[in-house]
Amino acid sequence: MGSTIQILLYAIPVMLIFAWYLRRHMRRESTGLAALKSATEEGLIEPPTLHPEIDHKLCIGCTNCVAACPEQGSHQVLGMIRKKAHLVGPTNCIGHGACKAVCPVNAITLVFGTSRRGIDIPLVNPDFQTNVPGVFIAGELGGMGLIKNAVEQGRQAMVSIGKLLQTPHKNALDIVIIGAGPAGLCATLAATEAKLKYATVEQEELGGTVAHFPRRKLVMTQPAVLPIVGKMNFKEVQKEELIDYWRNVEQKTGIVINYSENVETVEPAPNGGFVVKTSKRNYNTRTVLLSIGRRGSPRKLGVPGEEMSKVVYRVIDPAQHQNQNVLVVGGGDSALEAATTIAEEPGTTVTLSYRSDAFSRAKPKNRQRVEEMSAAGRLRVLFSSNVKSIREGVVEIAHGDALEEIANDAVVVSAGGILPSAFLKTIGIHVETKWGTE
Ligand SMILES: Cc1cc2nc3c(=O)[nH]c(=O)nc-3n(C[C@H](O)[C@H](O)[C@H](O)COP(=O)(O)OP(=O)(O)OC[C@H]3O[C@@H](n4cnc5c(N)ncnc54)[C@H](O)[C@@H]3O)c2cc1C
Ligand code: SF4
């Protein structure tokens, strides 16, 4: 009897610990599987940047990498399936690389692209200069993501550029910086500090990709040094706070950024240097820094009236369209999400125009939402239609054989983007396509 009690005394805690372990393991497995299933069903399977490739022959299932991923708090990025680590939310991976650092058996390699989809990475020298002398690249465009790296590269690239510009030049700028994300912002501060004649051109707003993060996203970044300002001492900060901090830096240092200006071409100038042609003017410059990130530029419709201020390429706040007649153009997920979120605002009349006859590229849940709202009369869908012109108070759309005029206060164009690699090739910059390689 005594020995039975003794056995139970030891066995019960062991069984409880085992049950707890089993439950935790099963919960982890099912979360990982569910995340992978959902990513696969929604077609979100291609990591956009540097990401881990896990060698399952080496992985011992310690889960260190899952715990170390800084994004894990807001989305499922890594998960455990059959006791091995997997990238279960590929599009949520932004290339922190924290997983590789904690793997005890070196099972993780950080790679670009996959065997299904290659990623173009420009070839850049250690001084950030490309094969086109005078054209430099800094930030995520060069392949290395993260805010801290972009800031650091913006600063270092400007040091290299400064070395090339020892003698002053009267008739041209020293540098045109393209893009005002973290890399371009930091390069602009460095150009100001070095007293260079610069112009910074940004197609949208300050902050680059960070400005596009979801509301209140917790941004993980390590301290980085901003020229003139000093240490940017954040570890964890909300997106809005970080953007406010950068706006404050912009204001206090007096740097000038030309917003809402898209660079269209960079061409060699007849007497050396470059002509940078934008949607607003031409700049003559001795050097160019491309800090344009990897998101690309929105594709334009190319119709009369597109330059009007009521035409935008991204919905910033659906509430600003209350009581408006809005035209959304496009058939991908961002077009469908823009149309449905705006249609939920009071007093809106929304038309969604798409040139094809079905939304075959969009996620099932977005297609279903459009169908429901359209059936409820809250959204009008015009398949096989093309915008012909945009005017004050009205848009003209070709729909079948008819030309229809629709009352209009705002146009949202979500017609996809032009990838940076196409832009780089027009400048003559060599790019290498990575298919799941380092
Ligand atoms: C969802 C998500 C979450 C992330 N979270 C984090 C995080 O928590 N911590 C972290 O460190 N990193 C994070 N990152 C990565 C980080 O945002 C990027 O690595 C960083 O913003 C890169 O900076 P950049 O200046 O090189 O490019 P970007 O920030 O992309 O800026 C490029 C700028 O160039 C402009 N531009 C492009 N083409 C043109 C043109 N032709 N003419 C004029 N302007 C042009 C763009 O409008 C843009 O403003 C995240 C990324 C994503 C997608
Ligand atoms: S840290 Fe390495 S060994 Fe541990 S689960 Fe991740 S990949 Fe496997």
Side-chain angles (χ1 to χ4, degrees):
M1 180 67 179
S3 65
T4 314
I5 291 175
Q6 247 179 356
I7 289 171
L8 279 178
L9 225 56
Y10 286 110
I12 290 173
V14 170
M15 279 164 64
L16 283 175
I17 291 171
F18 181 70
W20 171 81
Y21 169 81
L22 202 66
R23 199 161 157 252
R24 203 172 70 132
H25 168 75
M26 282 167 65
R27 199 183 310 137
R28 203 181 268 144
E29 284 272 318
S30 65
T31 322
L33 274 171
L36 187 61
K37 184 167 174 269
S38 141
T40 312
E41 277 172 7
E42 299 201 343
L44 304 173
I45 52 165
E46 298 297 347
T49 181
L50 196 65
H51 61 276
E53 191 175 74
I54 300 156
D55 184 339
H56 289 144
K57 285 196 222 74
L58 294 178
C59 176
I60 52 167
C62 69
T63 74
N64 281 2
C65 53
V66 183
C69 175
E71 292 301 303
Q72 204 74 9
S74 31
H75 346 257
Q76 189 80 15
V77 179
L78 286 160
M80 300 306 292
I81 299 174
R82 286 181 293 280
K83 294 191 185 158
K84 303 280 178 187
H86 286 258
L87 187 61
V88 293
T91 55
N92 293 329
C93 179
I94 54 160
H96 284 281
C99 50
K100 179 178 168 60
V102 295
C103 179
V105 292
N106 228 356
I108 296 181
T109 315
L110 297 175
V111 298
F112 288 105
T114 63
S115 54
R116 295 172 303 268
R117 200 185 76 165
I119 287 197
D120 286 342
I121 303 287
L123 298 177
V124 182
N125 297 324
D127 66 350
F128 299 93
Q129 194 162 197
T130 64
N131 60 295
V132 179
V135 179
F136 291 72
I137 284 179
E140 187 150 14
L141 177 67
M144 206 186 261
L146 302 183
I147 295 162
K148 176 187 167 271
N149 294 332
V151 166
E152 187 50 28
Q153 289 196 0
R155 194 182 62 75
Q156 286 184 20
M158 200 51 72
V159 172
S160 302
I161 293 163
K163 286 183 189 154
L164 278 187
L165 301 170
Q166 299 292 352
T167 47
H169 196 290
K170 262 204 237 141
N171 301 324
L173 292 167
D174 290 322
I175 175 105
V176 169
I177 297 162
I178 310 178
L185 169 68
C186 183
T188 307
L189 289 164
T192 309
E193 190 174 52
K195 298 195 170 37
L196 297 179
K197 278 192 287 172
Y198 75 89
T200 300
V201 183
E202 167 56 56
Q203 65 190 5
E204 292 175 356
E205 59 195 303
L206 182 66
T209 299
V210 179
H212 287 251
F213 289 176
R215 274 183 68 224
R216 305 253 151 248
K217 181 198 185 288
L218 206 54
V219 183
M220 318 293 293
T221 182
Q222 286 154 13
V225 176
L226 290 178
I228 307 178
V229 181
K231 206 166 186 185
M232 190 178 86
N233 213 357
F234 294 112
K235 230 177 150 202
E236 262 188 34
V237 59
Q238 277 192 338
K239 161 222 169 151
E240 287 76 7
E241 250 183 274
L242 187 56
I243 297 280
D244 281 351
Y245 170 81
W246 285 338
R247 279 205 194 106
N248 198 24
V249 165
E250 180 187 19
Q251 219 179 26
K252 283 204 169 136
T253 55
I255 57 170
V256 178
I257 299 173
N258 301 333
Y259 291 109
S260 305
E261 191 169 333
N262 173 257
V263 171
E264 289 163 358
T265 55
V266 175
E267 283 173 3
N271 302 322
F274 303 91
V275 180
V276 175
K277 184 173 175 290
T278 76
S279 48
K280 293 190 178 164
R281 64 203 108 178
N282 286 356
Y283 298 89
N284 285 309
T285 179
R286 300 165 75 191
T287 59
V288 176
L289 177 67
L290 301 170
S291 43
I292 57 175
R294 303 194 66 82
R295 281 185 309 115
S297 299
R299 197 176 296 283
K300 301 215 163 161
L301 297 176
V303 299
E306 192 168 4
E307 67 292 344
M308 290 172 78
S309 61
K310 71 173 177 173
V311 182
V312 294
Y313 296 86
R314 178 165 83 95
V315 179
I316 294 165
D317 179 8
Q320 80 190 39
H321 295 295
Q322 281 179 12
N323 303 315
Q324 286 190 341
N325 295 303
V326 184
L327 172 72
V328 178
V329 186
D333 284 312
S334 48
L336 271 56
E337 280 164 20
T340 49
T341 47
I342 294 172
E344 274 165 3
E345 293 296 327
T348 50
T349 305
V350 180
T351 307
L352 177 57
S353 159
Y354 187 37
R355 62 194 165 138
S356 299
D357 57 5
F359 296 124
S360 47
R361 289 188 296 118
K363 288 180 204 154
K365 82 168 185 220
N366 283 333
R367 292 205 299 255
Q368 193 187 338
R369 206 160 152 227
V370 166
E371 270 164 30
E372 283 164 10
M373 292 188 93
S374 163
R378 292 171 67 190
L379 178 66
R380 181 177 176 222
V381 179
L382 289 181
F383 283 120
S384 311
S385 66
N386 282 297
V387 179
K388 288 292 170 197
S389 70
I390 302 169
R391 302 199 304 271
E392 204 58 60
V394 75
V395 284
E396 198 179 33
I397 297 186
H399 182 216
D401 293 334
L403 205 55
E404 201 178 321
E405 275 199 357
I406 302 178
N408 179 268
D409 304 302
V411 180
V412 179
V413 181
S414 294
I418 302 167
L419 288 176
S421 44
F423 180 56
L424 296 181
K425 283 175 191 163
T426 64
I427 304 173
I429 294 172
H430 295 157
V431 296
E432 189 186 350
T433 307
K434 306 262 190 185
W435 302 91
T437 44
E438 287 178 76

